[in-house]
Amino acid sequence: MRILFIHPPSSHKDDISLQGIKSSSPSLGLLQLASIARKEGHDVSFMDRVFDVKRFVEFNPDLVALTAMTNEIGGAASIAEFCREVDVPNVLGGCHITADPYNTLIK
């Protein structure tokens, strides 16, 4: 299975844009899950604070795994919507969904 792990860009207008900058703090939890998936024989790829449609299409994932803190939930929602449009299952975890699952899911 090809699994794409994504730590989305911030969607908060006051955050400093990290677009095009290599992050110095990728999601440790997402990296741990990617490492376990790779060890179990899955083909994995990771996008940190960026969503690149060209890379997405080239990798052609069977599943997308997202994480998001509150300032990243808008970006994660946009990526999840894109995944639904191209018929790729996606899962969301992280601080925001854990703290407010109901409101996150209805948006």
Side-chain angles (χ1 to χ4, degrees):
M1 178 180 278
R2 289 178 311 280
I3 307 171
L4 177 57
F5 293 87
I6 303 175
H7 183 192
S10 174
S11 54
H12 193 273
K13 66 180 178 68
D14 294 331
D15 277 359
I16 297 170
S17 174
L18 294 177
Q19 187 75 7
I21 298 173
K22 292 183 180 177
S23 174
S24 61
S25 59
S27 168
L28 183 58
L30 211 57
L31 288 173
Q32 288 172 326
L33 290 173
S35 177
I36 292 167
R38 179 172 284 152
K39 190 174 184 177
E40 292 296 318
H42 299 285
D43 188 11
V44 303
S45 186
F46 191 91
M47 290 186 196
D48 187 32
R49 305 263 185 188
V50 65
F51 180 66
D52 184 334
V53 174
K54 182 179 177 187
R55 276 185 55 205
F56 182 97
V57 170
E58 289 172 355
F59 186 66
N60 192 24
D62 299 309
L63 175 70
V64 171
L66 296 147
T67 187
M69 292 192 288
T70 299
N71 66 322
E72 300 158 344
I73 200 65
S78 295
I79 295 167
E81 180 63 31
F82 175 83
C83 290
R84 282 190 291 277
E85 289 172 5
V86 296
D87 202 28
V88 174
N90 63 87
V91 294
L92 174 63
C95 299
H96 187 90
I97 189 83
T98 300
D100 193 11
Y102 177 77
N103 287 317
T104 302
L105 290 173
I106 62 171
K107 290 183 180 184

